[in-house]
Amino acid sequence: MPIGIIGAGAIGQALAHRFVAAGEQVVISNSRGPRSLRDLAASMGPALRPATVAESAKEEIVVIAVPWGRLREAVGAAGVSDWQERIVIDTTNPLGPPDFKVADLGGRTSSEVVAGLVPGARLVKVFNTLTPAVLGSDPRTFAGRRVIFVSGNHPGANERVTRLAERVGWAVINLGPLASGGRLQQFPGGPLPTLNLLLEP
């Protein structure tokens, strides 16, 4: 099944590049529409298909890779009232341009906030702790595999995303539920963002 990506900025493109390189099919979208993604698709080949946000949101696994300030707009453009247990991957961090002010989360983790915007989804927090340049590079290095962190309240969804990430080449550390694991991953505040770790062979 193709992977849907909502957001074609630095994170969305980095993930699309890695998924396509691993043989996955990707349906990518942004707020400007499929025509704006033609050059990106041409650079990656037929495995990357430009689409509308609503089309990307139909896939079994959907990545949300938009700035925090555009989050509600992006989810609204998906036009989904019930995500019917599809897996939604949250790559967001609760700050962004122009002022990079940290959002008021009311004591929750950012992913718990995102989960509330995608009712019925099995939300998994992943791909938010590395810079786009690092995330888009080959996770298999001469020194070992690059480490990413996964957290979520649905063990089956966590495992599905773990298998996907391992096929791409990452080494995965499962941190458990969003309330605890998501807090460790959260930027700013958590200890894990920006850590570029390698798992030795």
Side-chain angles (χ1 to χ4, degrees), residues 37-193:
L37 299 170
R38 286 177 174 173
D39 289 346
L40 178 65
S43 71
M44 292 197 195
L48 183 76
R49 179 169 70 86
T52 65
V53 172
E55 288 170 333
S56 290
K58 292 178 180 178
E59 301 303 334
E60 186 178 351
I61 296 178
V62 180
V63 179
I64 296 179
V66 299
W68 188 261
R70 304 293 297 273
L71 180 60
R72 291 182 182 275
E73 176 188 344
V75 173
V80 181
S81 58
D82 180 358
W83 289 79
Q84 298 180 331
E85 297 194 344
R86 296 203 295 283
I87 294 173
V88 171
I89 290 176
D90 172 27
T91 72
T92 66
N93 287 307
L95 75 173
D99 56 6
F100 290 92
K101 182 179 178 181
V102 181
D104 181 3
L105 303 176
R108 295 179 292 172
T109 66
S110 60
S111 284
E112 289 176 304
V113 173
V114 177
L117 299 177
V118 287
R122 295 181 292 162
L123 189 129
V124 179
K125 183 72 168 183
V126 63
F127 303 129
N128 75 300
T129 62
L130 297 174
T131 65
V134 174
L135 194 62
S137 63
D138 192 339
R140 296 182 177 94
T141 77
F142 70 92
R145 291 185 297 148
R146 187 159 286 112
V147 173
I148 60 167
F149 304 98
V150 166
S151 60
N153 296 339
H154 305 274
N158 289 3
E159 178 58 29
R160 177 74 181 279
V161 172
T162 294
R163 292 197 305 269
L164 169 63
E166 288 179 340
R167 284 202 305 273
V168 174
W170 287 293
V172 180
I173 296 177
N174 193 324
L175 300 175
L178 294 175
S180 54
R183 202 170 299 279
L184 294 173
Q185 289 173 256
Q186 188 161 293
F187 178 80
L192 299 178

Side-chain angles (χ1 to χ4, degrees), residues 19-52:
F19 291 149
V20 168
E24 302 290 339
Q25 300 288 314
V26 174
V27 179
I28 194 167
S29 61
N30 64 10
S31 61
R32 297 184 302 279
R35 288 187 178 182
S36 67
L37 299 170
R38 286 177 174 173
D39 289 346
L40 178 65
S43 71
M44 292 197 195
L48 183 76
R49 179 169 70 86
T52 65

